[in-house]
């Protein structure tokens, strides 16, 4: 049996950790690793056109599967391209192992061609970033990196010089067991006791939920029933908490809707469940607040806390539910449910009048039709910008759908690369990239990756020929739009030239049929939809100092806009609310 080299040993360890794909672009310093992947039967090399795409794809795969995913970049400029996607994966708490191959070990520190110091460069976007400087060091260092990524839910980066990768692996290398899943974390008895006391004393309780409620839907609903609590959510909590939720009062934040803001401010006790919601201007400062999170470092960094509880949301609620006293009054809950339904009724009217005849097409109408025709278990990847608005307000979660975006890092161009990673996890599952024309064109080269790997991703392109969210930010700041116009091609023709299915839609009556035809197509497809760049209405109360990027610094109002099927959901939740 031929002796292994370090690269082969590296790949073996990845496979043992559950990695099935390595996304990247080949390069000379990566050659030993790429060749080891070629010869291994349990892992594939996924050739993309840009390393940033590789990192986004790995991050999306990790979010879909909950398991370790991996990407790679060659020395210097190659691995530098990974950095934006790794930032996103890290802030999304996606377990990703990145291989940053390096220049020859004998040349490090001497200004060699393409020299950088990746072990330093990636420190801010990783839990662990280290350089392998000898063959003997590799197995233990890689194991440590994997366990950081899995155990802390984020990125680890391993820098490996190409010459060391090609060296013979040491004899009798350590074969340690690998940690590939996280445990649940139960809070201490003192914290549980204190939280029970707070809940029992509070007359009005509101729950505000983030992505940390994944897997805890049943417990949140049971808890809300017992304390008669309205349940609001952040954008990253939408897919996990909004469906089958008779306590739903909508979403808070700049893209929010409904009565979530009022519910969080008019309660006696606000309980934040698994959320690191960044916009503290939307959080109250005059009610008692308890926060439950499995990551202790986020406790209290957005708002003043009366109680910090370190624990998994589901495990914590399981401890609480048997011990708290059931509340008898629904007055606060029913008032918030009615306020929520009334708020949705008010804003939806602006986007239902003649919307099916409006040209250019309302993007809200596109999102509403997409929500209706997409599969019940579809994965939606969402570009940062106006697509965030349409996904937040129109894509209906149901417990089977997934909605993934750059919701914490806020990067452009994330939807298409994320769709690649999501589709590789299951070629039979419908994956829809909700792309803006600005984001799509930034990494448009990787549309070719869909064709090359015959990935059946469906790109739904909201083409308003502008950087719409930037125009909005300029407008509310009192500035004229400048530098935001995109001169675009016929994207459907571009898709066809690449060898994919492509169709252009300019009239509303063409939309549903075009989407259905694209979804029936067995390979990659692009639907280029010409949308109205002036579709978003702004409440007159927003002033220049209120908006900086996506953060609202002083206002209690949010963008006015439609809300799709959520109004029906809100009305259905009012069945048990006493009428005045």
């Amino acid at each position: 049996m031929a002796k292994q080299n370090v690269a082969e040993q590296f790949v073996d360890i990845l496979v043992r950790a559950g990695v099935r794909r390595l996304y990247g672009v080949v390069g000379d310093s990566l050659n030993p690793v790429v060749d080891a992947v070629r010869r291994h039967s349990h892992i594939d090399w996924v050739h993309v056109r840009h390393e940033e795409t590789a990192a986004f794809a790995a991050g999306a795969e990790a979010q879909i599967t909950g398991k370790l995913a991996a990407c790679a970049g060659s020395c210097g400029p190659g691995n530098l391209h990974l950095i934006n996607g790794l930032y996103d994966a890290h802030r999304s708490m996606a377990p990703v192992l990145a291989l940053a191959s390096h220049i020859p070990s004998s040349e490090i520190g001497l200004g060699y061609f393409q020299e950088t110091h990746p072990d330093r460069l990636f420190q801010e976007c990783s839990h662990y970033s280290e350089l392998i400087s000898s063959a003997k060091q590799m197995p233990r260092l890689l194991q440590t990196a994997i366990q950081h990524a899995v155990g802390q839910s984020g990125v680890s980066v391993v820098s490996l010089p190409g010459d060391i990768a090609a060296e013979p692996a040491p004899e009798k290398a350590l074969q340690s067991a690998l940690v590939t899943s996280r445990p649940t974390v139960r809070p201490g008895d003192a914290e549980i006791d204190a939280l029970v006391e707070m809940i029992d004393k509070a007359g009005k309780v509101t729950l505000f939920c983030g992505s940390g409620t994944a897997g805890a839907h049943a417990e949140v609903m049971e808890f809300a029933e017992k304390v008669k609590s309205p349940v609001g959510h952040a954008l990253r909590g939408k897919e996990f908490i909004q469906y089958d939720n008779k306590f739903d009062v909508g979403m808070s934040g700049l893209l929010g809707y409904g009565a979530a803001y009022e519910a969080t401010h008019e309660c006696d006790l606000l309980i934040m469940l698994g959320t690191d919601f960044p916009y503290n201007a939307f959080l109250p400062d005059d009610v008692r607040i308890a926060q439950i999170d499995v990551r202790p470092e986020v406790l209290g960094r957005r708002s003043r806390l009366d109680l910090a509880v370190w624990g998994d949301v589901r495990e914590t609620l399981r401890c609480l539910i048997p011990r708290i006293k059931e509340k008898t009054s629904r007055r606060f809950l029913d008032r918030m449910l009615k306020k929520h339904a009334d708020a949705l009724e008010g804003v939806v009217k602006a986007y239902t009048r003649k919307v099916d005849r409006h040209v250019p097409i309302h993007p809200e109408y596109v999102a509403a039709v997409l929500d209706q025709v997409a599969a019940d278990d579809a994965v939606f990847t969402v570009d940062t910008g106006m697509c965030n608005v349409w996904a937040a307000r129109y894509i209906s979660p149901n417990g089977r759908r997934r909605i993934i975006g750059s919701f914490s890092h806020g990067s452009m161009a994330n939807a298409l690369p994320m769709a690649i990673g999501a589709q590789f996890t299951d070629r039979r599952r419908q994956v829809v990239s909700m792309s803006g024309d600005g984001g799509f064109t930034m990494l448009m080269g990787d549309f070719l990756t869909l064709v090359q790997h015959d990935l059946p991703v469906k790109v739904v392109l909201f083409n308003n020929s502008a950087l719409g969210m930037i125009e909005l930010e300029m407008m509310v700041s009192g500035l004229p739009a400048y530098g935001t116009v995109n001169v675009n091609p016929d994207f459907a023709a571009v898709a066809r030239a690449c060898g994919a299915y492509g169709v252009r839609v300019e009239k509303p009556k063409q939309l549903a049929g075009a989407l259905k035809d694209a979804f029936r197509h067995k390979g990659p497809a692009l639907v280029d939809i010409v949308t109205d760049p002036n579709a978003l209405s702004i409440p007159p109360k927003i002033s220049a100092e209120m908006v900086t990027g996506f953060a609202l610094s002083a206002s209690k109002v949010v963008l006015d806009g439609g809300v799709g099927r959520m109004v029906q959901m809100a009305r259905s939740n009012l069945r048990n609310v006493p009428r005045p």
Side-chain angles (χ1 to χ4, degrees), residues 56-115:
F56 272 125
E61 178 181 323
Q63 290 181 70
I64 292 292
T65 65
K67 298 177 180 178
L68 184 70
C71 58
S74 59
C75 64
N79 61 55
L80 275 177
H81 285 157
L82 294 170
I83 198 163
N84 191 50
L86 292 182
Y87 259 99
D88 182 83
H90 194 56
R91 300 193 67 187
S92 299
M93 297 173 288
V96 171
L97 187 286
L99 169 60
S101 69
H102 207 351
I103 63 171
S105 57
S106 61
E107 302 299 328
I108 294 173
L110 299 174
Y112 191 72
F113 175 65
Q114 294 188 323
E115 181 174 10

Side-chain angles (χ1 to χ4, degrees), residues 476-487:
V476 298
S477 297
L479 301 173
Y482 182 75
T484 59
V485 175
N486 295 326
V487 178

Side-chain angles (χ1 to χ4, degrees), residues 186-197 309 316 319-320 323:
R186 182 196 182 281
D189 291 338
E191 286 73 28
I192 293 293
D193 292 343
L195 190 50
V196 168
E197 183 179 359
V309 180
T316 304
C319 294
L320 286 173
R323 296 189 52 190

Side-chain angles (χ1 to χ4, degrees), residues 36 253 271 330 492 564:
I271 304 178
R330 285 181 54 101

Side-chain angles (χ1 to χ4, degrees), residues 421-438:
Q423 192 72 81
F424 263 112
T425 67
D426 186 350
R427 287 178 174 269
R428 296 168 297 179
R429 190 174 186 181
Q430 187 180 90
V431 176
V432 180
S433 172
M434 294 178 64
S435 297
D437 57 296

Side-chain angles (χ1 to χ4, degrees), residues 321-510:
I321 289 168
R323 296 189 52 190
I324 57 174
K325 297 175 183 176
E326 184 164 4
K327 298 188 185 299
T328 56
S329 174
R330 285 181 54 101
R331 184 175 300 175
F332 176 61
L333 170 60
D334 290 343
R335 182 163 62 86
M336 290 299 109
L337 289 175
K338 188 174 187 308
K339 185 171 286 192
H340 177 61
D342 290 346
L344 297 193
E345 290 275 10
V347 299
V348 78
K349 293 175 183 176
Y351 294 99
T352 55
R353 294 193 301 268
K354 300 181 181 179
V355 69
D356 58 344
R357 298 194 296 275
H358 183 87
V359 178
I361 303 170
H362 267 308
E364 301 89 341
Y365 180 67
V366 177
V369 173
L370 173 60
D371 183 49
Q372 295 280 356
V373 304
D376 287 342
D377 66 344
V379 178
F380 297 88
T381 60
V382 184
D383 258 344
T384 296
M386 297 313 302
C387 285
N388 274 187
V389 181
W390 317 138
R393 294 179 176 173
Y394 288 88
I395 300 304
S396 303
N398 57 13
R400 298 171 62 200
R401 286 177 165 180
R402 295 298 311 273
I403 305 170
I404 296 174
S406 186
F407 299 141
S408 295
H409 186 48
S411 174
M412 284 182 66
N414 62 285
L416 174 62
M418 286 180 166
I420 291 170
Q423 192 72 81
F424 263 112
T425 67
D426 186 350
R427 287 178 174 269
R428 296 168 297 179
R429 190 174 186 181
Q430 187 180 90
V431 176
V432 180
S433 172
M434 294 178 64
S435 297
D437 57 296
F440 179 74
T441 52
M442 187 175 283
L443 286 174
M444 189 166 62
D446 270 291
F447 188 77
L448 293 168
T449 299
L450 303 184
V451 177
Q452 182 161 338
H453 295 283
D454 194 27
L455 290 173
V457 169
K458 314 307 178 190
V459 178
V460 177
L461 187 59
F462 290 72
N463 180 7
N464 64 1
S465 298
L467 301 176
M469 183 58 76
I470 307 304
E471 285 192 348
L472 169 62
E473 291 171 348
M474 288 179 171
M475 182 169 64
V476 298
S477 297
L479 301 173
Y482 182 75
T484 59
V485 175
N486 295 326
V487 178
N488 290 328
D490 180 335
F491 289 110
V494 172
R496 293 192 295 270
C498 293
Y501 179 94
V503 61
R504 185 174 174 91
V505 178
E506 297 180 347
K507 296 181 179 178
K509 66 181 180 180
Q510 304 168 332

